[in-house]
Amino acid sequence: MIRIMFILVTAFSSLTLFGQTKLSPEQQKQMVEKIDKTASVMTAMQCEFVQTKSMKLLSKEMHSKGIMYFKRPNKLRWQYITPYDYTFILNGDKVHIKSSKSTKNIDVQGNKMFRQITNIILNSVTGGNLNSSTDFNVEMYKKDNSYYAKLFPKKKELKQLYQVIEIYFDSSLTMVNRVRMLEKTGDETQVKLNNTKLNIAVDDKIFLAN
């Protein structure tokens, strides 16, 4: 009897500690529809980001900061400012990667793996396409007054990279504020989005390789 009570108390404490609830299929459908509706009317986005990388082989976390621009349908500029200069630009089917040491141009359509990764990036930024079952199994959770989605890879190529990707939303479900990626190796990357501005004017020149 004491053992049973201990298990129940421990379980209850764990639920209270984490404060998260998995949504029912109907609740998830409603939330995903609301998120997709919001994402569909987003024409542009600008924000700052803070990225934290934890690696199993290193005891010290790596921190970096930058700025991101997005413009519908498929333009994205992800620029690291500190502690290094590194820019990832997606413009249609073309990707331009620039660092202080080199530059690289990639045709996304000609590279299946890169195409899947760029789709993950775009969906993580906008929160859209959570109802798609092509690449991921999606589970929605509520934690306190906010929601987040767990994306479990279905395709072999993505399974080799990620265990799970978590996308966190603000309480109104209007924008993504955090993304957590747990890699197959056990390494973890978290990105927090700050000072987000929606549907502002973004110059197309920002998405050109220079």
Side-chain angles (χ1 to χ4, degrees):
M1 182 66 180
I2 294 176
R3 179 178 175 84
I4 294 175
M5 289 183 65
F6 176 78
I7 293 173
L8 291 174
V9 169
T10 302
F12 179 78
S13 299
S14 299
L15 289 173
T16 304
L17 177 64
F18 292 105
Q20 63 182 19
T21 304
K22 184 178 180 180
L23 301 188
S24 68
E26 184 59 31
Q27 289 173 323
Q28 176 166 317
K29 180 182 178 182
Q30 293 174 0
M31 291 300 100
V32 169
E33 287 177 352
K34 185 174 182 180
I35 291 168
D36 281 346
K37 183 177 180 180
T38 301
S40 67
V41 297
M42 183 193 299
T43 59
M45 176 181 177
Q46 175 186 330
C47 71
E48 299 170 0
F49 68 84
V50 177
Q51 178 177 300
T52 302
K53 178 80 173 182
S54 303
M55 302 182 69
K56 291 187 67 176
L57 298 179
L58 298 176
S59 57
K60 186 177 180 180
E61 293 182 338
M62 295 178 289
H63 300 273
S64 53
K65 296 181 180 180
I67 187 168
M68 184 274 291
Y69 299 89
F70 164 78
K71 190 171 185 178
R72 188 170 293 281
N74 51 5
K75 294 182 179 181
L76 178 76
R77 182 186 181 99
W78 190 274
Q79 182 176 359
Y80 293 89
I81 298 174
T82 62
Y84 48 80
D85 183 15
Y86 183 93
T87 303
F88 171 97
I89 298 175
L90 171 66
N91 193 335
D93 295 332
K94 305 298 181 182
V95 166
H96 178 74
I97 300 175
K98 180 181 179 181
S99 68
S100 58
K101 297 181 180 179
S102 64
T103 60
K104 182 183 295 185
N105 295 302
I106 301 172
D107 184 350
V108 177
Q109 288 302 319
N111 188 315
K112 181 180 178 182
M113 175 61 72
F114 216 90
R115 185 167 69 250
Q116 292 174 333
I117 293 175
T118 54
N119 285 337
I120 291 174
I121 296 173
L122 286 175
N123 291 334
S124 296
V125 168
T126 64
N129 294 329
L130 291 179
N131 58 359
S132 173
S133 60
T134 304
D135 295 329
F136 297 95
N137 288 316
V138 179
E139 295 179 358
M140 287 287 297
Y141 292 81
K142 181 178 181 181
K143 185 175 182 180
D144 299 327
N145 293 322
S146 60
Y147 295 87
Y148 69 97
K150 284 188 175 183
L151 282 63
F152 298 93
K154 297 175 66 175
K155 293 185 176 180
K156 179 180 179 181
E157 298 90 341
L158 294 177
K159 283 184 176 181
Q160 293 174 346
L161 295 176
Y162 303 104
Q163 293 185 39
V164 62
I165 298 173
E166 297 176 354
I167 303 177
Y168 293 77
F169 301 86
D170 65 354
S171 57
S172 62
L173 291 175
T174 56
M175 66 181 72
V176 175
N177 56 26
R178 182 161 66 98
V179 178
R180 175 177 176 265
M181 293 171 282
L182 184 60
E183 299 174 23
K184 198 70 175 179
T185 58
D187 296 347
E188 179 179 325
T189 302
Q190 290 204 54
V191 180
K192 293 183 179 180
L193 308 182
N194 306 306
N195 300 322
T196 303
K197 300 176 182 178
L198 299 179
N199 297 337
I200 59 173
V202 178
D203 194 332
D204 283 335
K205 293 179 180 178
I206 290 176
F207 307 102
L208 297 178
N210 48 39

